[in-house]
Amino acid sequence: MFINIIFDILTMVIVLYFLTEAALSNLQTKQKLEKSDILKLFTSGCKTSRDLNVGIEYERLPISKLTNTAVPYDGDFGICDFLRTFAKKENWDYITDDYSIIGLKQNHDTITLEPGCQVELSVKPEKTIFDLKNKIDSLNKKMEPIFEKFGINLLEYGVSPLSTHKNIRLIPKKRYKIMAGYLWGILSDVMMRETAGIQGAFDFTDEEDAIRKFNIANKLSPFMTAMFANSPIRGGVETGYKTFRALSWLNTDNDRCGFCGKMEGDFSFEKYVDNVLKSPMIFINRNGAPIPLKGKINFEEFMQKGFGDFDAEIDDFNLHANLYFPEVRLRNFIEIRNHDCAGKNLIYAVLAIYKGILYNKSAMDEIDKLFAKFTYEDFAELRYNVPKNALDSEISGTKISNIAKEILYIAEKSLIEMDTKEEKFLEPIKALTLEGLCPADIILRNWNGLWNKDISRLIKYLSK
């Protein structure tokens, strides 16, 4: 028996020795994160021309029918209560942060919360806008009875119409608390807690195709911001801006917002990554807990020398890239982020314009020709003029409402050629743009006329 005990002890020592040697070997051979590892994230998105899809993220503002104020996360009939009720009724899974429910998921579809409780729908990308609309219509139909019971309107509008960030609490998500403490722009709290937007996602076939689409989307972005401007009333008053949401992004954090790159012909995945690497880091995650970095180093420095006891990992880059907020963001697809949320089926018009242009080489040629005389500086200046003036802005002496009509014409012609019937989604925006108007113009006309500056009339209009 004594011999057996000695044998067992020796066996354990030998096993522990080899386990220790293996662990030390792994530490010694652990590869340092290289830029080439990061670039694989982008090239992995290349698809065949037959497999190009369209995606959407669609944010709305939860507003109390009783008080017209923003609905809080906590409390009876709050947004957390809605998530619990919907999950139970429709058999969706919780998305949590520690023990707090911050969203729901079912297969590839999610219902998540932005920092100020804005409700975001994200559904699996599809071939056609019809398919996306059917999914969203189905989700809305399931959510409507619960929101009705809770006395909540989900507004398709770009900024909170009455409540301001001072009385909108952040949801209990650790990431948002760190972001709110770091972002230094004077309107960063407005951006986080008050605004709602529409984001489109589009595929590419190779790096050349990706960069061409990326550059065109950046050039289109200030025109699209103007065409869909839909946030002139904030805090119950007229702001003097047609898209206060766009203004808030101009004043959030210039280290990570705006245009990425100069829209050069020789732009590349690597140049995009270089821009992201030079952006200051906000935090990293380790063992499920955030570790604030507070902009002390950028990601390039993190890769070179680490931070404290931490070395850069690919998940760190993914997080850092998601905390980089350009108008157009490159991932393994192209994410276009600069539109106010708007009703009357305008969210699908956003997707239709980009699909018509980005998924047709002839249409891209026409857009390049349309924009050929403008410089990067022209587009950058326009981005600063659009929040106030929308389609009344000018670029290099040309009124952009006329250019917006050309953009619509090119997109419509392309969609007709595709023979998918998706040109029908352009009708709501054509009715405005061809008259030189954006959604904010209709709101302001009524606000200063029939509504007599009554916030309840605005919210009733937005709720239809």
Side-chain angles (χ1 to χ4, degrees):
M1 182 177 177
F2 179 74
I3 293 174
N4 288 339
I5 293 172
I6 295 297
F7 179 78
D8 289 343
I9 291 172
L10 286 172
T11 301
M12 289 176 62
V13 169
I14 292 169
V15 169
L16 287 171
Y17 170 79
F18 281 109
L19 286 174
T20 303
E21 285 293 304
L24 289 172
S25 176
N26 284 338
L27 285 173
Q28 290 167 358
T29 59
K30 184 179 179 181
Q31 295 295 313
K32 181 179 178 182
L33 182 65
E34 301 288 347
K35 192 190 293 185
S36 58
D37 301 316
I38 294 171
L39 289 171
K40 290 175 185 175
L41 298 173
F42 297 86
T43 55
S44 68
C46 297
K47 295 185 175 181
T48 68
S49 57
R50 296 187 302 274
D51 296 323
L52 304 180
N53 290 328
V54 178
I56 186 172
E57 291 185 359
Y58 166 38
E59 302 166 358
R60 285 173 289 181
L61 303 164
I63 302 297
S64 168
K65 291 184 178 182
L66 184 63
T67 64
N68 295 328
T69 57
V71 177
Y73 175 84
D74 294 310
D76 292 339
F77 303 119
I79 296 302
C80 183
D81 204 359
F82 158 76
L83 293 176
R84 286 196 192 96
T85 304
F86 186 87
K88 183 177 180 180
K89 183 173 182 286
E90 299 296 336
N91 197 31
W92 282 49
D93 297 322
Y94 290 152
I95 301 170
T96 60
D97 190 276
D98 282 343
Y99 298 103
S100 300
I101 302 168
I102 56 170
L104 306 174
K105 61 183 176 181
Q106 187 179 78
N107 300 322
H108 296 283
D109 303 334
T110 62
I111 302 170
T112 54
L113 302 182
E114 293 298 296
C117 259
Q118 304 96 316
V119 177
E120 178 184 284
L121 296 187
S122 179
V123 298
K124 182 187 175 193
E126 296 287 352
K127 282 271 189 235
T128 74
I129 301 169
F130 287 104
D131 293 330
L132 288 176
K133 185 177 185 302
N134 289 338
K135 278 188 171 183
I136 289 173
D137 286 348
S138 175
L139 270 175
N140 283 338
K141 189 175 181 180
K142 293 175 182 177
M143 293 192 299
E144 267 175 24
I146 303 173
F147 281 122
E148 184 66 30
K149 178 182 175 182
F150 283 22
I152 295 173
N153 278 321
L154 278 190
L155 295 193
E156 296 174 313
Y157 188 60
V159 72
S160 177
L162 185 58
S163 301
T164 66
H165 64 89
K166 294 179 180 178
N167 44 42
I168 299 176
R169 293 177 58 190
L170 290 172
I171 70 168
K173 185 175 181 178
K174 296 187 291 290
R175 162 178 169 164
Y176 291 155
K177 184 176 181 181
I178 294 171
M179 287 172 60
Y182 174 80
L183 296 174
W184 49 265
I186 59 171
L187 294 180
S188 60
D189 282 327
V190 174
M191 180 280 291
M192 289 187 69
R193 304 181 195 218
E194 297 183 35
T195 64
I198 306 163
Q199 298 180 19
F202 299 87
D203 291 321
F204 48 78
T205 57
D206 54 28
E207 183 172 8
E208 181 182 0
D209 183 49
I211 297 308
R212 188 178 190 197
K213 288 173 177 174
F214 178 78
N215 284 336
I216 286 174
N218 271 295
K219 292 174 183 178
L220 284 169
S221 66
F223 296 91
M224 295 287 284
T225 299
M227 291 164 69
F228 293 89
N230 189 43
S231 48
I233 310 299
R234 169 187 176 257
V237 299
E238 185 177 342
T239 64
Y241 291 85
K242 293 186 180 181
T243 167
F244 202 88
R245 176 184 177 274
L247 179 71
S248 74
W249 276 105
L250 289 175
N251 293 276
T252 287
D253 182 341
N254 287 341
D255 290 329
R256 63 192 69 246
C257 300
F259 294 131
C260 179
K262 301 278 183 165
M263 306 177 190
E264 312 99 327
D266 64 344
F267 201 64
S268 63
F269 287 155
E270 185 170 6
K271 286 188 176 182
Y272 180 86
V273 168
D274 287 341
N275 278 277
V276 180
L277 296 183
K278 288 179 170 54
S279 175
M281 297 180 67
I282 300 178
F283 70 97
I284 58 174
N285 280 320
R286 288 295 183 273
N287 300 318
I291 299 165
L293 274 63
K294 301 179 180 179
K296 292 176 183 176
I297 61 171
N298 62 35
F299 203 89
E300 186 174 50
E301 294 166 332
F302 186 40
M303 287 175 64
Q304 291 169 353
K305 58 188 181 183
F307 181 82
D309 295 330
F310 306 110
D311 293 320
E313 300 174 1
I314 196 68
D315 287 344
D316 297 323
F317 178 81
N318 284 327
L319 171 62
H320 180 64
N322 283 335
L323 296 171
Y324 185 69
F325 306 122
E327 302 287 273
V328 183
R329 185 155 59 186
L330 260 180
R331 309 173 76 162
N332 56 356
F333 55 89
I334 297 168
E335 181 184 85
I336 310 173
R337 316 178 58 259
N338 54 286
H339 322 92
D340 285 359
C341 185
K344 324 304 179 194
N345 281 326
L346 285 167
I347 63 168
Y348 305 111
V350 171
L351 302 180
I353 292 171
Y354 284 116
K355 181 175 182 179
I357 291 169
L358 298 181
Y359 286 175
N360 184 318
K361 289 183 179 179
S362 296
M364 288 195 286
D365 289 341
E366 290 186 66
I367 289 293
D368 281 336
K369 186 176 179 180
L370 181 65
F371 289 155
K373 66 179 180 179
F374 304 127
T375 65
Y376 168 81
E377 287 72 22
D378 291 331
F379 292 106
E381 182 180 352
L382 178 60
R383 180 172 171 263
Y384 277 85
N385 290 332
V386 156
K388 187 174 185 64
N389 301 310
L391 288 174
D392 291 328
S393 306
E394 293 186 354
I395 181 169
S396 192
T398 301
K399 196 169 180 180
I400 70 166
S401 58
N402 295 323
I403 299 173
K405 294 171 188 176
E406 289 294 317
I407 292 169
L408 271 181
Y409 170 74
I410 293 168
E412 183 175 44
K413 184 173 69 170
S414 172
L415 290 170
I416 291 170
E417 288 174 8
M418 292 179 190
D419 195 26
T420 60
K421 311 302 181 187
E422 288 167 291
E423 66 272 11
K424 70 164 283 185
F425 292 110
L426 296 177
E427 293 306 319
I429 195 63
K430 280 176 63 180
L432 292 168
T433 303
L434 296 184
E435 297 296 324
L437 301 172
C438 65
D441 291 315
I442 305 302
I443 289 172
L444 289 170
R445 180 188 298 169
N446 285 297
W447 179 259
N448 293 298
L450 186 64
W451 299 345
N452 195 27
K453 302 182 180 180
D454 182 348
I455 195 72
S456 297
R457 303 286 291 274
L458 169 64
I459 290 174
K460 183 178 179 181
Y461 167 80
L462 295 172
S463 303
K464 291 180 180 178

